[in-house]
Amino acid sequence: MKSAVTTVISSADAAGRFPTISDIESVKGSFDRAHARLEAAEKLAVYIDKFTTEALDFVYGKTPYEQANKDKCARDIHHYLRLINYCLVTGGTGPLDEWGIAGMREVIRAQLLPTTAYIEAFTFIRDNVDVPGQMGPQAATEFKSLIDYLINALA
């Protein structure tokens, strides 16, 4: 699984060199943001069902997507939010890359689910996180950056 440390070490190893000062500073930055990431992970664990339900209500309430797909969409949104939670804990995008993004377009297409519904749902979640009610500003920044990462992968 990729974390900030394993990513830096792998990159340096692939280049046939020892990690540089900037590599080490990159890892230090990840450690410095660890408290905010863990707060975001804790709050996401508390609000994961609420975020999923509100996003589904938003997407399926305003667009003519088939209602039969709503359960599949709910399952997937919840799954991706759990993967984001793992990413917040590890400090890298490894869980999302390895278990969520690789092949996800094919799975969504095979289930005949519109990718735009997912993009709308995750955009809604990102834009409606209550700061500071649900999580602090730094935690929200960490969470939203991973949501953006997922949205960009879906687009």
Side-chain angles (χ1 to χ4, degrees):
M1 182 174 319
K2 293 188 306 188
S3 68
V5 175
T6 58
T7 300
V8 164
I9 291 171
S10 296
S11 294
D13 190 43
R17 60 176 175 77
F18 289 106
T20 64
I21 294 296
S22 64
D23 291 335
I24 303 298
E25 288 172 355
S26 164
V27 171
K28 183 184 177 312
S30 178
F31 288 146
D32 290 344
R33 294 188 320 275
H35 179 72
R37 284 196 322 273
L38 291 177
E39 177 193 341
E42 179 184 354
K43 299 298 182 169
L44 177 54
V46 170
Y47 293 108
I48 193 167
D49 292 329
K50 181 180 189 306
F51 289 165
T52 302
T53 302
E54 288 178 354
L56 278 172
D57 290 346
F58 172 77
V59 171
Y60 281 85
K62 73 174 194 83
T63 53
Y65 296 125
E66 290 182 33
Q67 199 67 18
N69 291 334
K70 189 174 182 179
D71 290 338
K72 292 178 189 175
C73 195
R75 176 200 62 212
D76 293 345
I77 289 169
H78 198 270
H79 175 73
Y80 289 121
L81 288 175
R82 280 195 341 259
L83 290 175
I84 287 172
N85 202 326
Y86 299 153
C87 290
L88 289 164
V89 172
T90 64
T93 61
L96 197 54
D97 292 334
E98 294 170 20
W99 300 322
I101 293 174
M104 96 175 130
R105 284 192 185 130
E106 291 78 19
V107 170
I108 291 170
R109 268 191 234 123
Q111 295 179 1
L112 303 174
L113 299 171
T115 306
T116 55
Y118 290 96
I119 293 171
E120 290 173 11
F122 291 117
T123 301
F124 176 84
I125 292 168
R126 180 198 62 205
D127 294 345
N128 289 286
V129 171
D130 179 16
V131 178
Q134 293 171 328
M135 61 181 73
Q138 294 295 352
T141 299
E142 295 292 330
F143 174 62
K144 289 178 180 185
S145 71
L146 287 167
I147 291 281
D148 284 336
Y149 184 80
L150 178 59
I151 290 169
N152 289 332
L154 284 167

